[in-house]
């Protein structure tokens, strides 16, 4: 049987199990982005994840483009209607800085997704956070894989928000580790350091400390071309998905499965970026890892610390500083993820997203370029 297509009895069993599984209700805040895209795919692929709403935060690309990317991925994944809200066009204090050199002109690498006809929410991303947290008090899990601008605006509007969330997972920061944007700062924090400080300060008094997935750990989550090949194979896509470091920059995926094809084109750009910055022909999958932690915090070991954000440093502005030993005399406000099993994460990611793509497009076995245009 072709990999990817499951027997009917298996589908029935899976759907029956789905009803019994405890779903995790998520408020997802992204700056889609290549790895944000895979975070969305991963969550959409998980029966136990229910996305209550998606906040589109300016970061990798402007907020409107983030929202357009989110809607386009929902279309490709034939997703039910999920509210997508547009966030602030700018950070709290400083001008917006984007990074198309890292994530591509549209923010999804070399992928070109059809523009969606879906519409964005009438409410702002900050209002989405506040309303969903109140409506799902104690139940909603927050996940932020971009700058903290809109979460900070939400915390200002609803100071109780930290205690309304069941859990918060943040991809951001670097602690005993070099930054990826300046020598001491990580991108999501560097875009809006003031917002990051608002959020970390707000959780100083909360019972449930946010789990912080910083570069220290997320740069051990390195996707390789072989991971992409195996995901495509699990989806039943053809031909074999082979991203090679020596490929010309014009090479694009011919995968028969549309999810595989567009994702492969997106991640190819990210691998080229990492290669060109002497990190190897790999792609650090910061955001899908944080998404997996949002569903299962047991994936990481954490250490409590008091985190604050440097705002005044000329060389270190945007640096996340962790007080592990109570030197500042302040309560810990974060659980910093410090250990995980990257191989186990990729096994799960490949299985979940590959099988999902195969279910979405079961008949897509014919290589893309050999398909007759209807
Ligand atoms: O530093 C990595 C983070 O910055 C990731 O979330 C990536 O998508 C970018 O937003
Ligand atoms: Ca991101």
């Amino acid at each position: 049987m072709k990999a990817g297509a499951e027997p009917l009895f298996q589908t029935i069993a899976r759907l029956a199990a789905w009803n019994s599984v405890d779903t995790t209700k998520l408020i997802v805040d992204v700056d889609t982005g290549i790895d944000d895209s895979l975070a969305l795919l991963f969550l959409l692929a998980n029966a136990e994840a229910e996305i209550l709403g998606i906040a589109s935060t300016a970061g990798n690309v402007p907020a409107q483009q983030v929202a357009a990317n989110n809607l386009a991925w929902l279309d490709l994944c034939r997703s039910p209607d999920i509210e997508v809200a547009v966030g602030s066009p700018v950070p709290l204090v400083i001008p917006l800085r984007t990074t198309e050199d890292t994530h591509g002109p549209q923010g999804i690498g070399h992928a070109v997704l059809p523009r969606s006809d879906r519409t964005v929410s009438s409410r702002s991303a900050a209002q989405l956070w506040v309303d969903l947290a109140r409506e799902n008090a104690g139940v909603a899990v927050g996940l932020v894989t971009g700058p903290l601008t809109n979460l900070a605006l939400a915390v200002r509007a609803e100071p109780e928000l930290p205690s309304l969330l069941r859990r918060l997972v943040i991809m951001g920061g670097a602690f005993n580790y070099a930054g990826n944007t300046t020598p001491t700062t990580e991108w999501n924090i560097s875009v809006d350091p003031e917002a990051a400080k608002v959020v970390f300060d707000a959780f100083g008094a909360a019972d449930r400390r946010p789990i912080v997935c910083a570069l220290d750990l997320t740069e051990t989550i390195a996707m390789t071309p072989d991971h992409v090949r195996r995901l495509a194979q699990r989806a039943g896509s053809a031909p074999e998905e082979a991203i090679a470091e020596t490929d010309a920059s014009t090479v694009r995926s011919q995968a028969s499965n549309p999810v595989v094809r567009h994702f492969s084109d997106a991640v190819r750009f990210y691998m080229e970026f990492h290669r060109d910055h002497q990190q190897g022909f790999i792609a650090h999958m910061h955001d899908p890892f944080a998404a997996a932690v949002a569903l299962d915090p047991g994936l990481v070991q954490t250490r409590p610390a008091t985190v604050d954000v440097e705002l005044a440093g000329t060389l270190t502005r945007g640096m996340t500083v962790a007080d592990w030993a109570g030197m500042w005399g302040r309560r810990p406000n974060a659980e910093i993820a410090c250990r995980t099993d990257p191989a186990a994460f990729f096994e799960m990611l490949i299985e979940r997203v590959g099988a999902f793509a195969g279910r979405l497009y079961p008949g897509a076995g014919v290589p893309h370029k050999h398909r007759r245009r209807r």
Side-chain angles (χ1 to χ4, degrees):
M1 164 120 0
K2 184 166 56 72
E6 61 183 359
L8 180 59
F9 74 87
Q10 216 169 336
T11 301
I12 293 167
R14 187 171 47 76
L15 292 175
W18 185 353
N19 292 327
S20 63
V21 74
D22 289 335
T23 59
T24 300
K25 297 178 183 291
L26 294 139
I27 305 169
V28 179
D29 192 324
V30 289
D31 66 332
T32 309
I34 294 168
D35 56 333
D36 305 78
S37 300
L38 187 53
L40 289 175
L41 291 178
F42 175 75
L43 293 175
L44 292 168
N46 271 278
E48 73 264 30
E50 178 188 346
I51 300 176
L52 300 172
I54 302 174
S56 309
T57 291
N60 290 324
V61 290
Q64 289 290 352
Q65 183 60 51
V66 171
N69 293 341
N70 293 337
L71 295 173
W73 283 116
L74 292 180
D75 270 359
L76 187 70
C77 294
R78 295 172 168 165
S79 160
D81 275 348
I82 295 177
E83 185 176 359
V84 173
V86 180
S88 168
V90 290
L92 296 191
V93 173
I94 57 178
L96 174 64
R97 175 182 162 209
T98 55
T99 183
E100 287 79 359
D101 60 319
T102 308
H103 288 265
Q106 306 292 312
I108 47 177
H110 293 305
V112 179
L113 290 174
R115 189 161 188 81
S116 173
D117 293 332
R118 299 181 192 219
T119 55
V120 294
S121 170
S122 58
R123 54 186 171 179
S124 69
Q127 197 58 52
L128 180 83
W129 267 106
V130 171
D131 295 346
L132 291 178
R134 285 172 177 163
E135 293 157 17
N136 299 273
V139 172
V141 170
L143 168 67
V144 190
T145 65
L148 290 158
T149 307
N150 295 298
L151 181 51
L153 291 169
V155 162
R156 283 180 171 171
E158 173 50 273
E160 289 304 311
L161 196 140
S163 56
L164 291 174
L165 293 175
R166 173 184 168 202
R167 180 185 314 134
L168 176 66
V169 176
I170 297 169
M171 192 280 132
F175 294 100
N176 305 322
Y177 200 81
N180 63 358
T181 304
T182 74
T184 60
T185 65
E186 178 278 328
W187 171 259
N188 289 336
I189 308 299
S190 74
V191 168
D192 198 343
E194 279 76 14
K197 179 169 178 58
V198 166
V199 170
F200 282 114
D201 286 354
F203 278 83
D207 294 335
R208 289 177 286 271
R209 297 187 282 261
I211 298 173
V212 183
C213 297
L215 295 182
D216 312 48
L217 202 57
T218 63
E219 287 201 352
T220 69
I221 311 297
M223 177 170 268
T224 65
D226 190 54
H227 289 134
V228 180
R229 179 191 64 78
R230 288 172 52 207
L231 190 153
Q233 185 181 46
R234 182 64 184 87
S237 188
E240 183 175 82
E241 194 62 18
I243 301 177
E245 183 169 2
T246 52
D247 284 346
S249 62
T250 52
V251 170
R252 295 294 176 268
S253 172
Q254 298 302 315
S256 57
N257 183 291
V259 173
V260 171
R261 185 163 67 249
H262 291 302
F263 171 67
S264 179
D265 284 342
V267 81
R268 175 190 290 274
F269 188 99
Y270 217 19
M271 290 180 173
E272 291 165 355
F273 173 84
H274 286 75
R275 175 198 63 199
D276 297 346
H277 288 77
Q278 294 73 49
Q279 294 182 295
F281 194 62
I282 54 95
H284 291 139
M285 284 295 156
H286 313 275
D287 297 346
F289 178 71
V293 174
L295 293 184
D296 178 8
L299 288 175
V300 293
Q301 289 182 20
T302 65
R303 282 180 63 198
T306 307
V307 172
D308 205 334
V309 182
E310 176 57 60
L311 298 181
T314 47
L315 298 175
T316 58
R317 176 170 151 76
M319 180 177 184
T320 48
V321 182
D323 174 7
W324 305 95
M327 297 176 183
W328 294 333
R330 293 158 48 184
R331 282 183 57 173
N333 60 353
E335 287 291 338
I336 298 174
C338 50
R339 288 190 66 184
T340 194
D341 179 344
F345 165 73
F346 275 113
E347 290 305 314
M348 175 180 60
L349 183 79
I350 287 165
E351 173 54 30
R352 300 280 177 92
V353 177
F356 177 61
R359 290 195 302 272
L360 281 174
Y361 297 94
V366 176
H368 183 61
K369 66 183 173 187
H370 298 311
R371 301 181 85 188
R372 288 193 312 281
R373 293 206 177 285
R374 288 190 183 81

